[in-house]
Amino acid sequence: MSQFDYIIVGAGSAGCVLANRLSANPQHKVLLLETGGSDKSIFIKMPTALSIPMNTEKYAWQFHTEEEPYLNNRKMHCPRGKVLGGSSSINGMVYVRGHAKDFDEWESHGAKGWNYQTCLPYFKKAEAWLLGEDDYRGGKGPLGVNNGNNMVNPLYRAFIEAGKEAGYSVTNDYNGEQQEGFGPMHMTVKDGVRCSTSRAYLDPIKTRNNLTVVTGAKVTRVLLDGRHAKGVEYALGDALITAKADKEVVLSAGPIGSPHILQLSGIGDSKILEKAAIEVKHHLPGVGMNLQDHLEFYFQYRCKQPITLNGKLGLISKGLIGAKWILNKSGLGATNHFESCAFIRSKAGVEWPDIQYHFLPAAIRYDGKSAFEGHGFQVHVGHNKPKSRGSVTVQSNDPAKAPKIQFNYLQHQDDIEGFRACVRLTREIISQAAFYDYRDGEIQPGEHIQSDEEIDEFVRQAVESAYHPSCSCKMGEDDMAVVDSETRVHGIAGLRVVDSSIFPTIPNGNLNAPTIMVAEKAADMILGISPLPSSTASSFVHPDWHHQQR
């Protein structure tokens, strides 16, 4: 038995933030538990090696979904970070906050006090934007954010120019006033090295005497005294250890881990718990429900000029890139290669962007392999405001057995139509004059894919997860809400959930930035600190969004 004030379960994107903020007061004794281990691998630190940790058992839970009925019964890969820094140590490092309206939407779903004006100060608190602080960007936070190699490859700027030629706006900062449009993309890289939350928030404070970090710890359940969380039980090697929390237990195990731990602890839908032979401690039907994710596919083209990363896939080229990065943390090793992007609306009548683009000057899979000979480029595109909903459900009272994951991708007709728009709008963009000197034939989907039926079948076969699971312990006040607007689990004292699982709806963008923001804001709530003053900064919405798509 060990005793602490706060116990944080999961040293990931949220957990490292909480460990930093809660242990800032030397009077608070904090325990941070993480199943994974060290994040010091070169493959985690080097931005260009991003595909390696994501696909490595040592650093990531290699979850897979059940057969997805609307994706031709494919089982989809769902990796989650299992290392200090969590998914911020295995992700693509793309920094996207989401549109201002995404957070207003949260508040409309019952998350009181989580609108854009109240969230923006916490985005700023977290960030050290390379260009400095303004009304939208933070300059003094722990999290380094920049644009990689500043779009040296001409294909990045060709993509932005093509969007402009197609009639879309150009935005210099999609994380500022205007998300909608084409522009440079931002990444969590600092001095050429991945800036995970472990590096940004945990490394500087590991020597605090009041902070205990335990790796290799698998939490099996939250310990309850009636309707009060009193601590956790966790396995460490062959030992089963009990840790007591005098103040609170905070689950930051992510959108798969947090609902699973709640269910293992007897908190969840009683029917699901009884089926798994788990004693029901508190019937809370929303646990594990409302699961959401982003899907995407690669739109690939051959390139006329030998300027793409496909020419850098040989062992000698990789060796030179690695050597330059090791020596001075610069060059192609210091970027995730997603250096330009876009956010557009799929059709008139959509108020804020629901389609996202990541542009890459290569035609290549996530495993780093090329599917063809020669040079090419691709743009990752996805419909980012899905209406399909899934679930995470415990299958057994054995904590070692993974939960059942079912997203029900493309269950909703609006999601299908959103991907049809992705195909047709992307083709129009890439057909612009800006790509004339580069574009040399469509590799994927292939020019023969034209009708709605052909597009739908291509999407079902080719679409992949963008690795943004979320919303499985949603915040709100309705019958299916799991936590309240203070991140406290409904009906259980001394227990909170703070990670992307508490998002009511998924934002239009990558999820690392909003997860960090949620942890920054929740830390003040946990400590009883007055929230940062609300921002008065405005946000852009197309003045005629009812009638114009661009």
Side-chain angles (χ1 to χ4, degrees):
M1 174 78 74
S2 52
Q3 197 155 351
F4 299 86
D5 293 303
Y6 298 103
I7 298 175
I8 304 163
V9 179
S13 296
C16 289
V17 177
L18 293 173
N20 183 302
R21 301 308 187 192
L22 299 186
S23 66
N25 183 339
Q27 301 303 311
H28 294 155
K29 193 176 180 183
V30 179
L31 173 64
L32 178 63
L33 298 172
E34 170 56 44
T35 305
S38 170
D39 61 333
K40 301 309 178 188
S41 166
I42 189 175
F43 298 117
I44 290 176
K45 291 182 175 182
M46 184 190 295
T48 195
L50 61 94
S51 68
I52 296 175
M54 181 181 292
N55 292 290
T56 302
E57 176 67 33
K58 180 178 180 180
Y59 302 123
W61 299 98
Q62 300 297 324
F63 294 123
H64 285 81
T65 70
E66 301 296 299
E67 292 183 348
E68 290 291 345
Y70 310 98
L71 294 184
N72 293 345
N73 293 320
R74 295 164 58 201
K75 291 189 175 184
M76 305 292 282
H77 188 209
C78 183
R80 295 284 84 205
K82 186 178 62 175
V83 61
L84 290 175
S87 292
S88 74
S89 289
I90 69 164
N91 68 2
M93 293 156 281
V94 174
Y95 184 81
V96 182
R97 293 174 173 179
H99 194 279
K101 288 288 183 180
D102 289 321
F103 306 102
D104 295 344
E105 182 179 67
W106 285 8
E107 189 162 65
S108 74
H109 280 253
K112 185 179 179 181
W114 289 85
N115 60 42
Y116 178 65
Q117 305 299 339
T118 57
C119 291
L120 179 54
Y122 288 97
F123 278 117
K124 292 181 63 177
K125 181 180 181 180
E127 183 186 37
W129 172 229
L130 186 66
L131 301 181
E133 188 166 358
D134 59 25
D135 288 347
Y136 299 91
R137 307 304 297 260
K140 303 180 182 68
L143 192 71
V145 181
N146 64 27
N147 180 239
N149 286 336
N150 298 314
M151 303 190 297
V152 171
N153 191 303
L155 287 166
Y156 292 122
R157 298 183 190 277
F159 180 66
I160 297 171
E161 184 61 27
K164 183 178 179 181
E165 290 173 350
Y168 296 97
S169 58
V170 172
T171 177
N172 291 324
D173 186 359
Y174 63 86
N175 283 312
E177 181 177 14
Q178 181 175 337
Q179 185 192 62
E180 187 167 347
F182 285 66
M185 183 158 248
H186 311 150
M187 62 188 75
T188 49
V189 173
K190 184 177 182 180
D191 300 325
V193 179
R194 176 193 290 271
C195 194
S196 66
T197 55
S198 174
R199 182 186 176 202
Y201 285 88
L202 196 57
D203 284 355
I205 55 106
K206 277 185 176 178
T207 58
R208 286 179 180 168
N209 292 329
N210 62 325
L211 174 64
T212 301
V213 180
V214 180
T215 56
K218 170 63 174 172
V219 172
T220 57
R221 61 184 173 126
V222 176
L223 299 174
L224 298 174
D225 181 3
R227 296 289 180 87
H228 198 127
K230 291 295 187 178
V232 300
E233 179 184 83
Y234 65 95
L236 188 65
D238 294 330
L240 199 60
I241 299 173
T242 297
K244 184 178 179 182
D246 288 341
K247 294 184 183 292
E248 292 189 279
V249 174
V250 186
L251 298 184
S252 296
I256 308 301
S258 287
H260 190 217
I261 292 170
L262 286 173
Q263 292 166 341
L264 287 169
S265 308
I267 303 169
D269 187 288
S270 58
K271 293 180 180 179
I272 292 172
L273 301 182
E274 288 165 357
K275 186 177 180 181
I278 295 171
E279 181 185 353
V280 179
K281 300 292 184 68
H282 178 46
H283 175 61
L284 195 60
V287 174
M289 302 298 111
N290 194 49
L291 180 66
Q292 298 168 45
D293 190 18
H294 289 146
L295 288 172
E296 65 177 15
F297 68 87
Y298 316 152
F299 226 116
Q300 296 181 323
Y301 288 84
R302 294 187 182 275
C303 186
K304 293 178 181 177
Q305 299 185 31
I307 58 173
T308 73
L309 296 176
N310 290 78
K312 305 291 184 181
L313 299 179
L315 290 178
I316 294 176
S317 293
K318 286 182 176 180
L320 291 172
I321 291 169
K324 185 173 183 178
W325 183 84
I326 290 170
L327 288 172
N328 56 25
K329 303 299 184 289
S330 66
L332 292 176
T335 175
N336 62 10
H337 305 294
F338 295 114
E339 295 185 19
S340 64
C341 65
F343 300 86
I344 67 173
R345 292 174 293 115
S346 59
K347 60 184 179 181
V350 173
E351 187 175 359
W352 69 94
D354 59 344
I355 290 177
Q356 178 181 2
Y357 291 103
H358 302 62
F359 183 82
L360 185 69
I364 196 168
R365 301 198 306 260
Y366 256 121
D367 60 8
K369 296 179 181 178
S370 174
F372 73 106
E373 294 295 327
H375 284 268
F377 59 87
Q378 70 190 35
V379 60
H380 297 214
V381 58
H383 180 248
N384 268 13
K385 297 296 289 184
K387 293 183 179 178
S388 302
R389 299 290 184 265
S391 61
V392 177
T393 52
V394 66
Q395 298 188 82
S396 165
N397 58 15
D398 178 3
K401 185 172 178 59
K404 176 181 176 181
I405 304 169
Q406 186 88 66
F407 284 97
N408 293 317
Y409 293 118
L410 300 186
Q411 180 184 44
H412 200 286
Q413 183 63 29
D414 286 1
D415 300 349
I416 295 171
E417 293 176 5
F419 271 95
R420 291 173 185 170
C422 287
V423 172
R424 294 192 167 106
L425 294 171
T426 305
R427 279 180 169 150
E428 180 190 14
I429 292 163
I430 304 299
S431 71
Q432 300 300 313
F435 275 112
Y436 178 79
D437 291 335
Y438 309 112
R439 182 185 62 249
D440 190 23
E442 186 177 304
I443 302 169
Q444 182 178 290
E447 293 170 358
H448 62 288
I449 304 295
Q450 294 292 337
S451 69
D452 286 351
E453 293 74 19
E454 289 166 342
I455 291 172
D456 294 348
E457 180 56 27
F458 164 77
V459 169
R460 285 192 292 268
Q461 291 286 1
V463 79
E464 299 179 5
S465 172
Y467 309 121
H468 300 160
S470 54
C471 309
S472 53
C473 294
K474 77 170 186 175
M475 180 165 42
E477 300 299 331
D478 62 76
D479 291 342
M480 295 302 288
V482 175
V483 301
D484 65 13
S485 297
E486 298 283 315
T487 75
R488 300 170 299 202
V489 174
H490 286 296
I492 301 289
L495 181 60
R496 300 189 196 235
V497 181
V498 179
D499 55 35
S500 67
S501 70
I502 71 171
F503 297 0
T505 57
I506 192 167
N508 179 44
N510 307 66
L511 300 192
N512 192 230
T515 301
I516 293 168
M517 177 277 292
V518 161
E520 286 279 17
K521 189 168 166 61
D524 280 357
M525 295 174 174
I526 294 168
L527 294 170
I529 297 173
S530 296
L532 295 176
S534 295
S535 172
T536 59
S538 61
S539 59
F540 174 84
V541 172
H542 193 286
D544 195 18
W545 62 268
H546 289 95
H547 305 104
Q548 290 183 233
Q549 182 263 332
R550 65 192 84 172

